[in-house]
Amino acid sequence: MIRQWIGHFIRHIDSILLATVLMVLVVALMVLYSASGQSLLKVNAQLINIVVMMVVMLLVANTQPQHIERIALPAYLFGLTLLIAVALIGDISHGARRWLNLGITKIQPSELMKLAVPIMLAWYFSKRESMLRTADYVVAGVILLVPVLLIAKQPDLGTATLVFASGFYVIFLAGLSWKFIFGSAIAFGAALPILWSMLHDYQRRRVEILIDPSQDPLGAGYHIIQATIAIGSGGMTGKGWLNGTQSQLDFVPERTTDFIFAVFAEEFGLVGCSLLLLLFTIIIGRAFIIASQAKSTFARLLAGSIAATFFTYCFVNMGMVSGILPVVGIPLPLVSYGGTSLLTLGLSMGLLMSVQSHKRLVATD
Amino acid sequence: MGYSTELKNHQNEQHKFRVRLVFLILLVLTAFSALLGRFYFLQVYRYDYYQTLAENNRISIVPITPNRGLISDRNGIILAHNFFVYTLEITPSKTDDLQDTIAELGELVEISATDLKRFKKLRAQSHTFESIPIRTHLNEYEAAKFAVNRFRFPGVELKSRLFRHYPYGTLGTHGIGYISRINENDLKQLKENNQLSNYKGTEHIGKAGVEQAYEAELHGITGFQQVEIDADGRAVRVLSSASPTSGNNIVLSMDAKLQEIVEHEFAGRRGALVAIQPKTGEVLAMVSMPSFDANLFVDGIDYDNWNNLNNSPDKPLINRSLKGIYPPGSTFKPFVALAGLESGKRQPPFTISDPGYFMLPNSRHRYRDWKPSGHGAVDMRKAITVSCDTFFYGLAVELGIERLTDFVRHFGFGEKTNIDIQGELSGLLPTPTWKQKRFKQPWYMGETVIVGIGQGYTLVTPMQLAYATATLANNGKAIRPHLVNAIVDAKTNQVKMLPHTTADQLTLNAENLEIVKLGMMDVTRPGGTAAAVGANAGYDIAAKTGTAQVVGIKQNEKYNEKLIAERHRDHAWFIAYAPAEDPKIAIAVIVENGSHGGSTAGPIARKAMDYYLLGKVPVDPAVDPSTAPAADSTVINAPEVEEEPHD
């Protein structure tokens, strides 16, 4: 009876996805052990985060996509309410208003929106699926931009960008016209010089530093210079686990969180980097396959968006750490230390598995 | 867009979706290939380079501090500049044994306990590869002595660092301000303003006056050198560098010579003077006496000096012109007079017969005039000239406290003037609402009576009174006072004049204004309360004297000049503007415990006007434009003021 129940429960796990995720997590724990100066405390804390993530993943995987569809609107409105509350009464730290103090704990509603926005949009498009017209894309744009602007105003440009990306992927996959995409890209490019001329000197300088951190070698640039040395000195096969001098000697900043990839690259070299990239590619590829096989519009759009957003995380983080993208605070999925990020990933992976394992049940033909 | 989709056919729908997916997959592959390419570039192609950097173990980023902008007066006299001093600096990572090194150095040049304390503090804040000063201000002899012995001290360097210097010491310190070492609070502030990285290598920050208020302009942009360091911590070569950008130079509205003359005229007394150009709001002089030497603060003030300044009963650290609050006394009367005329409560022919006191209806209390026998027949003009208390008692009552305060508020009473430096107090213009809130008591008619002569709760700062006088001289147009006239770009030498901003524009009846102004002109003519001040002036002076009862001593203490200590005597006020028909300077002076405005405060204002309007110099000036240190070789970054900064 119990065995039957367990069997039913794990039936919804996607073995390819689970296996790859676990492989990345093992690597992540090794790197974390090294990056934290061999702190078992930190590794244990992350292990607990991983357990929580796995439980969440399993629970979501066992939830039918229809049930998730039902919470799309409430979750979105709830998140939006919290964001407005943050704007009005949020706690300020480091000059930004991002947190809502609930007395016992502080929450960052923008995290919730990373999934609430794509779910909401996927739901919206699935409601309108056979009668999509221009106005629907305008409504979708509003659904997307309101939370994004609220988050950008906090200000938290990193999260705003990611929420925007996750929502945009849904709209894109729903069939936003190419003309519009390229048209607005061109219009944005053309407007850049005007926007630039409207900025104050100090704002321009901030943007310049974002784009080229070497202009601020004592501030943001320091991270990049040290991270680049760490990656480059890793060479073909790396210096070996626990042997990264740059990272062990404290030169790489934030080396358990946003810059953990530099530690990995120093110790495991180009071979390690390629393998990690391969693992990420498998996860993303599997997610795309799940999306392409999904039988409902909602499931399809959501899975596609999750795959593309996961890719965006990986690319932006590794691009930033290796110095080809501006420095924005984005963790490397599954690898960076931290519970919130893992929780969001558990939800995402669970959603993918749910879509995959329930597809026969939800065929809508 | 014109795009709408007919998604009826499931097959068709999935096909379209897959086209989109293929696009995303291509995006992923391209992006990941780019990453792979980047990793290959760093880890294979440039491996040797990064390997060397990592093995030599570090590159250090050495900040290059920008030169701080200069501050000069309106005529180009430099009031704050920078000069090089020899400093002995230690790079801890380069020394074999830091304790030994310091001990041996101590045998060569004197290293005091203060030096050691500072070194320890700075060391805690910096990286081991940064050099930290252990001794500053070495003289030539000490520098030479070290140079000969240099070989014995690996990791110790003789450097020349820029120091701030205020060539005229105590002159105008309260306005110019000073810089001092950056402390924890400053660091917090800098961090909040995202300025921290620009202050790497910078040891000082503006702490008061213009140095503080214009810190962002004066500081400049820090440059840096990216230096490759070998295993012993020696710099091997410079990988890249960026020059610092000097801070911008600042041209004050202050006339240093005028400031110097006034400070000299105070001759050991306590008090303050503010002189403003009425049409522009330019502050020509802002004096607070006694002053103090700003140079004491630059390298960290020592305990004894700090104690002396901080505990002195004369309170030299307080900027009296902005923070000294005193009752305005009779200097308030011209503004009350104007309120009376503008409200129609007083018409020009209105005359009282002054018995020497005023009584409220249904009351037996006598409010005395300063002249016990009274002034006889007094009209508005004469009331100002002889400072008739009785006249203004009655006027205040008829106006009522609300109408009176509502009117004079336009002249800036009870509010900050918003001058461009920090720390100003707003004084107090009492109203029944204020009193209810402050004391939970109703307003009494008797309190209105004494507000009429600038006593009671009314409090002003010298800056406010000068601002009000300037506004009166300018026929009701109030210009926000400012100490800085222009900012000179360090790179281009371009002079950016700061705009004059109108704070309030009061429309006044010209005839009413004329009566008050004539009354004030009569003040400095025979028969007026300050006739001596106006004697042989060569230009017309409009003025008003005043006396402020000393706050701080008990209100019920009996006043007897001869019996009480000098510090308990009344403060003497004097406000003036000149030339009366076309005002170029407006002044407010207070001499603490100076008793009579006409005899102590007035002459100081007269000297100031004589210099500003006629160029008359009463004393040997320490500040001489012809010897201004513009040609001095030690001055770094001297401003080239291309145009005269005032109109």
Side-chain angles (χ1 to χ4, degrees):
Chain A
M1 156 80 176
I2 289 179
R3 185 180 301 167
Q4 205 177 4
W5 188 81
I6 292 177
H8 182 84
F9 200 69
I10 58 174
R11 195 163 65 91
H12 293 283
I13 288 174
D14 184 85
S15 48
I16 300 175
L17 215 45
L18 181 69
T20 341
V21 165
L22 285 177
M23 278 191 258
V24 177
L25 285 172
V26 169
V27 175
L29 284 174
M30 285 174 67
V31 183
L32 179 65
Y33 181 63
S34 170
S36 61
Q38 310 180 10
S39 151
L40 278 174
L41 271 174
K42 213 144 197 195
V43 172
N44 283 337
Q46 185 73 343
L47 261 175
I48 292 170
N49 291 335
I50 289 174
V51 170
V52 173
M53 172 200 174
M54 286 296 156
V55 171
V56 168
M57 186 176 82
L58 272 177
L59 288 176
V60 179
N62 277 282
T63 314
Q64 293 193 17
Q66 294 100 308
H67 293 141
I68 293 156
E69 263 190 275
R70 241 171 264 147
I71 60 148
L73 187 61
Y76 175 81
L77 291 177
F78 178 65
L80 204 58
T81 315
L82 290 185
L83 277 182
I84 292 167
V86 166
L88 298 176
I89 54 164
D91 274 13
I92 298 178
S93 84
H94 302 292
R97 202 187 274 273
R98 295 177 187 170
W99 303 87
L100 208 55
N101 198 339
L102 299 182
I104 33 168
T105 178
K106 281 181 170 187
I107 58 165
Q108 198 173 352
S110 52
E111 283 297 324
L112 172 67
M113 292 316 255
K114 284 179 181 170
L115 277 169
V117 166
I119 292 176
M120 170 70 192
L121 284 167
W123 172 79
Y124 176 74
F125 281 113
S126 73
K127 287 285 134 209
R128 322 276 308 166
E129 65 181 315
S130 56
M131 44 192 169
L132 272 178
R133 42 191 94 242
T134 306
D136 295 314
Y137 291 100
V138 174
V139 173
V142 172
I143 291 173
L144 172 58
L145 286 178
V146 169
V148 166
L149 291 178
L150 280 169
I151 296 167
K153 235 187 116 64
Q154 289 180 354
D156 186 351
L157 280 180
T159 308
T161 311
L162 287 170
V163 172
F164 177 80
S166 66
F168 178 79
Y169 288 131
V170 177
I171 302 178
F172 170 77
L173 291 170
L176 183 62
S177 94
W178 292 105
K179 265 192 268 174
F180 178 78
I181 294 169
F182 290 118
S184 34
I186 292 166
F188 182 70
L192 271 183
I194 302 165
L195 290 173
W196 184 251
S197 68
M198 279 160 60
L199 293 178
H200 288 289
D201 280 349
Y202 73 92
Q203 287 171 325
R204 276 185 213 167
R205 179 139 178 87
R206 233 180 262 181
V207 174
E208 280 168 12
I209 289 171
L210 192 67
I211 293 168
D212 177 14
S214 69
Q215 289 193 18
D216 184 23
L218 305 162
Y222 180 81
H223 295 199
I224 284 308
I225 291 165
Q226 298 301 344
T228 315
I229 295 174
I231 298 172
S233 64
M236 186 59 88
T237 52
K239 295 174 185 168
W241 188 43
L242 303 180
N243 284 329
T245 51
Q246 276 292 111
S247 21
Q248 301 298 329
L249 289 176
D250 222 356
F251 278 92
V252 176
E254 295 174 44
R255 59 185 191 280
T256 63
T257 54
D258 290 359
F259 279 77
I260 196 164
F261 180 72
V263 179
F264 172 80
E266 184 182 23
E267 299 189 346
F268 297 97
L270 184 61
V271 172
C273 291
S274 310
L275 285 175
L276 185 64
L277 220 45
L278 182 65
L279 289 177
F280 282 139
T281 313
I282 293 173
I283 294 174
I284 296 162
R286 179 68 189 155
F288 276 141
I289 290 172
I290 291 173
S292 77
Q293 292 175 346
K295 293 290 188 251
S296 78
T297 303
F298 172 76
R300 183 180 306 156
L301 293 178
L302 184 57
S305 162
I306 288 173
T309 309
F310 185 87
F311 149 72
T312 309
Y313 270 83
C314 298
F315 178 63
V316 172
N317 178 276
M318 289 189 276
M320 152 186 109
V321 176
S322 62
I324 55 172
L325 287 179
V327 176
V328 284
I330 288 181
L332 185 60
L334 301 172
V335 184
S336 285
Y337 177 78
T340 318
S341 162
L342 278 182
L343 191 65
T344 315
L345 284 160
L347 283 165
S348 308
M349 294 300 136
L351 283 170
L352 285 173
M353 292 178 181
S354 157
V355 167
Q356 176 67 2
S357 63
H358 291 95
K359 67 180 178 225
R360 276 169 301 275
L361 307 171
V362 296
T364 52
D365 271 4
Chain B
M1 261 191 313
Y3 184 93
S4 81
T5 330
E6 294 292 318
L7 292 176
K8 294 215 170 107
N9 180 313
H10 184 69
Q11 224 52 27
N12 183 30
E13 180 194 359
Q14 251 193 352
H15 172 72
K16 279 192 171 174
F17 178 76
R18 282 180 183 161
V19 171
R20 298 271 161 156
L21 271 192
V22 168
F23 179 83
L24 284 184
I25 289 165
L26 287 178
L27 181 74
V28 171
L29 292 179
T30 315
F32 276 8
S33 305
L35 278 181
L36 207 55
R38 175 70 176 169
F39 300 154
Y40 180 84
F41 173 79
L42 293 175
Q43 298 184 309
V44 178
Y45 185 73
R46 306 253 343 211
Y47 171 67
D48 289 339
Y49 174 75
Y50 286 115
Q51 166 70 7
T52 317
L53 288 185
E55 233 160 55
N56 288 343
N57 217 341
R58 50 214 95 176
I59 349 177
S60 76
I61 310 291
V62 183
I64 310 172
T65 318
N67 293 343
R68 195 173 173 85
L70 308 182
I71 300 176
S72 62
D73 90 333
R74 63 188 296 121
N75 299 313
I77 297 173
I78 307 276
L79 299 174
H81 65 132
N82 313 306
F83 71 109
F84 282 111
V85 293
Y86 287 121
T87 63
L88 216 45
E89 304 192 5
I90 301 184
T91 309
S93 68
K94 296 186 196 173
T95 55
D96 301 330
D97 184 319
L98 192 60
Q99 293 308 319
D100 281 359
T101 305
I102 293 172
E104 278 183 51
L105 265 182
E107 290 164 19
L108 209 61
V109 296
E110 196 198 317
I111 293 170
S112 68
T114 322
D115 291 332
L116 274 176
K117 230 188 242 168
R118 182 186 56 203
F119 180 80
K120 267 185 197 150
K121 202 175 103 193
L122 290 174
R123 203 189 151 204
Q125 298 166 352
S126 41
H127 295 284
T128 53
F129 52 74
E130 280 177 57
S131 75
I132 308 160
I134 179 106
R135 238 314 287 284
T136 60
H137 292 88
L138 274 77
N139 59 33
E140 299 282 336
Y141 174 70
E142 288 172 314
K145 209 163 144 190
F146 173 78
V148 175
N149 287 283
R150 177 174 286 163
F151 66 94
R152 289 170 46 202
F153 296 100
V156 184
E157 281 173 289
L158 186 64
K159 286 195 178 173
S160 59
R161 274 195 186 238
L162 276 178
F163 265 75
R164 194 68 155 173
H165 185 237
Y166 303 95
Y168 300 104
T170 61
L171 181 80
T173 303
H174 290 105
I176 300 164
Y178 55 86
I179 64 167
S180 193
R181 289 193 168 273
I182 293 175
N183 63 27
E184 290 296 316
N185 251 342
D186 301 324
L187 285 177
K188 229 174 95 186
Q189 199 84 50
L190 287 170
K191 198 169 176 188
E192 265 167 32
N193 299 335
N194 263 328
Q195 277 288 313
L196 201 56
S197 69
N198 196 32
Y199 274 77
K200 292 255 167 87
T202 301
E203 293 180 343
H204 297 101
I205 193 165
K207 288 289 169 89
V210 169
E211 290 271 35
Q212 178 189 32
Y214 289 84
E215 172 67 29
E217 291 287 348
L218 288 163
H219 181 267
I221 299 167
T222 300
F224 63 88
Q225 264 184 348
Q226 196 174 322
V227 189
E228 197 186 306
I229 305 269
D230 69 9
D232 295 331
R234 277 189 298 258
V236 179
R237 64 196 168 106
V238 176
L239 298 174
S240 70
S241 72
S243 319
T245 306
S246 294
N248 294 331
N249 297 333
I250 277 181
V251 183
L252 300 183
S253 58
M254 180 193 286
D255 184 319
K257 184 85 166 287
L258 176 66
Q259 179 88 15
E260 199 277 334
I261 287 167
V262 172
E263 290 187 8
H264 189 270
E265 285 304 312
F266 263 90
R269 289 178 175 278
R270 297 170 306 281
L273 174 146
V274 175
I276 298 180
Q277 213 174 56
K279 290 190 181 71
T280 61
E282 291 171 32
V283 176
L284 301 166
M286 187 172 90
V287 174
S288 174
M289 295 302 284
S291 187
F292 60 95
D293 187 349
N295 292 306
L296 289 174
F297 285 86
V298 173
D299 199 21
I301 188 164
D302 58 77
Y303 184 77
D304 288 344
N305 274 321
W306 170 251
N307 248 0
N308 283 342
L309 287 175
N310 202 31
N311 298 334
S312 162
D314 288 343
K315 304 261 175 258
L317 291 175
I318 289 177
N319 183 358
R320 289 170 158 80
S321 49
L322 297 184
K323 291 184 201 218
I325 49 173
Y326 315 88
S330 300
T331 59
F332 202 52
K333 287 174 183 166
F335 306 98
V336 179
L338 207 50
L341 292 165
E342 286 288 318
S343 67
K345 289 280 172 195
R346 289 290 179 271
Q347 306 287 329
F350 182 92
T351 306
I352 63 159
S353 175
D354 173 21
Y357 59 87
F358 171 82
M359 281 167 72
L360 280 168
N362 308 322
S363 163
R364 303 195 52 77
H365 182 79
R366 288 185 174 193
Y367 294 89
R368 294 172 197 286
D369 196 283
W370 65 269
K371 193 174 178 184
S373 59
H375 299 280
V378 179
D379 66 357
M380 180 64 87
R381 179 169 170 178
K382 186 180 172 191
I384 294 171
T385 309
V386 299
S387 200
C388 173
D389 291 335
T390 311
F391 189 93
F392 286 100
Y393 290 141
L395 175 53
V397 171
E398 266 187 69
L399 274 169
I401 187 68
E402 303 278 9
R403 189 167 9 201
L404 191 152
T405 50
D406 279 352
F407 180 80
V408 298
R409 205 178 293 281
H410 287 289
F411 287 87
F413 291 107
E415 279 157 23
K416 292 181 181 178
T417 66
N418 293 321
I419 187 173
D420 54 348
I421 64 172
Q422 295 162 33
E424 183 185 14
L425 294 184
S426 58
L428 177 65
L429 203 51
T431 59
T433 335
W434 163 83
K435 195 185 168 198
Q436 189 62 46
K437 238 168 99 183
R438 174 76 178 75
F439 295 115
K440 312 248 177 294
Q441 279 172 14
W443 183 266
Y444 299 115
M445 187 64 92
E447 290 166 334
T448 307
V449 175
I450 54 174
V451 166
I453 62 161
Q455 297 289 355
Y457 300 113
T458 320
L459 293 171
V460 299
T461 66
M463 177 57 72
Q464 276 180 323
L465 206 46
Y467 175 64
T469 309
T471 305
L472 181 66
N474 207 21
N475 301 326
K477 186 176 177 184
I479 317 277
R480 176 180 173 234
H482 55 90
L483 264 173
V484 172
N485 264 3
I487 291 167
V488 185
D489 190 283
K491 267 193 191 153
T492 62
N493 267 335
Q494 237 171 21
V495 181
K496 191 177 104 197
M497 303 297 298
L498 300 187
H500 310 304
T501 42
T502 304
D504 198 350
Q505 172 77 67
L506 191 54
T507 315
L508 297 169
N509 183 311
E511 286 166 31
N512 295 338
L513 206 53
E514 185 68 10
I515 294 169
V516 173
K517 288 187 160 187
L518 286 174
M520 288 177 73
M521 285 162 78
D522 288 346
V523 167
T524 59
R525 288 173 179 151
T529 52
V533 176
N536 309 315
Y539 50 90
D540 283 327
I541 304 171
K544 186 71 198 77
T545 53
T547 306
Q549 276 166 14
V550 169
V551 278
I553 66 165
K554 290 175 194 71
Q555 290 290 313
N556 56 4
E557 210 163 325
K558 275 260 166 78
Y559 185 83
N560 183 330
E561 190 176 316
K562 286 177 190 111
L563 290 180
I564 61 178
E566 189 261 355
R567 266 178 208 282
H568 293 167
R569 284 181 205 153
D570 286 345
H571 299 322
W573 271 119
F574 190 76
I575 60 170
Y577 63 85
E581 50 291 342
D582 179 23
K584 295 198 160 48
I585 182 169
I587 292 181
V589 200
I590 187 159
V591 178
E592 287 186 10
N593 317 114
S595 297
H596 298 297
S599 56
T600 52
I604 298 177
R606 169 71 188 273
K607 293 278 182 6
M609 291 184 284
D610 274 357
Y611 168 73
Y612 191 71
L613 298 172
L614 308 174
K616 262 164 76 174
V617 179
V619 288
D620 288 343
V623 179
D624 183 348
S626 65
T627 62
D632 192 326
S633 59
T634 62
V635 173
I636 309 308
N637 188 21
E640 286 166 37
V641 184
E642 280 153 357
E643 51 184 282
E644 191 68 4
H646 64 281
D647 53 351

